[in-house]
Amino acid sequence: MGDPSPVGPLQRRLALEHEAVWLTSLSAGRFPALDDAARAALRRHERARDVLVARVAAAGATPVGPQAAYGVPPRSVDQARQRLADVAERMRHRAARGARQRGRPSRGRPVAAGLGAGGDELGRRPQRLPRTRPRLSSRVSGRRRGPR
């Protein structure tokens, strides 16, 4: 199903970063209400994309390139926000899946360089992933909660 090479997850994340760069630059140019936040998100995505390109190239693979377009461009601010939230959700899902595959639990944080990190700037608050480890109760952890 997936690419068994260690570069495969980097390539998939790079493909999402390419889509995020396309969508945020389009949103910044078309919708004045999103201009400042989208430009800030665009700079983060461009940096993340450049880092991923360098990591894939350093691993000896050819980095995946961007597509000419990623569907029909959004026609309204609401559509742009929805599409940005969708890309952010896919990036969070990819990051959580990668963490599970590496044997590390997800900490429920949005992707640092992804739209999730700036999602609230674009009018959408990023959703946190559920905790993978339950919190210990005070009895198990040995902490006391006041006088007994």
Side-chain angles (χ1 to χ4, degrees):
M1 176 177 129
D3 187 355
S5 91
V7 178
L10 293 175
Q11 294 279 38
R12 289 187 289 276
R13 181 154 176 224
L14 178 57
L16 282 172
E17 288 294 345
H18 282 308
E19 182 176 359
V21 166
W22 178 83
L23 187 57
T24 53
S25 63
L26 188 72
S27 297
R30 285 190 173 195
F31 307 111
L34 299 178
D35 185 46
D36 292 336
R39 285 181 192 274
L42 176 62
R43 285 189 296 272
R44 285 192 305 272
H45 286 296
E46 287 174 335
R47 281 192 303 265
R49 178 203 58 200
D50 294 345
V51 166
L52 288 167
V53 165
R55 287 178 65 190
V56 169
T62 302
V64 66
Q67 296 180 17
Y70 295 88
V72 177
R75 299 180 193 274
S76 68
V77 171
D78 289 336
Q79 280 183 352
R81 284 184 174 146
Q82 181 58 46
R83 295 268 302 273
L84 291 166
D86 175 59
V87 171
E89 180 62 29
R90 286 186 286 138
M91 292 179 106
R92 283 190 295 273
H93 176 72
R94 173 64 52 203
R97 184 176 178 189
R100 283 192 308 272
Q101 288 174 346
R102 290 186 305 273
R104 296 183 212 153
S106 170
R107 292 187 172 90
R109 294 185 201 141
V111 177
L115 285 172
D120 52 352
E121 296 168 8
L122 295 171
R124 301 275 186 200
R125 182 150 182 95
Q127 293 180 343
R128 296 178 66 88
L129 296 173
R131 290 185 57 89
T132 56
R133 294 182 291 191
R135 294 180 189 256
L136 296 176
S137 70
S138 60
R139 289 182 188 170
V140 174
S141 66
R143 289 183 291 169
R144 297 189 82 179
R145 290 187 166 185
R148 287 193 179 189

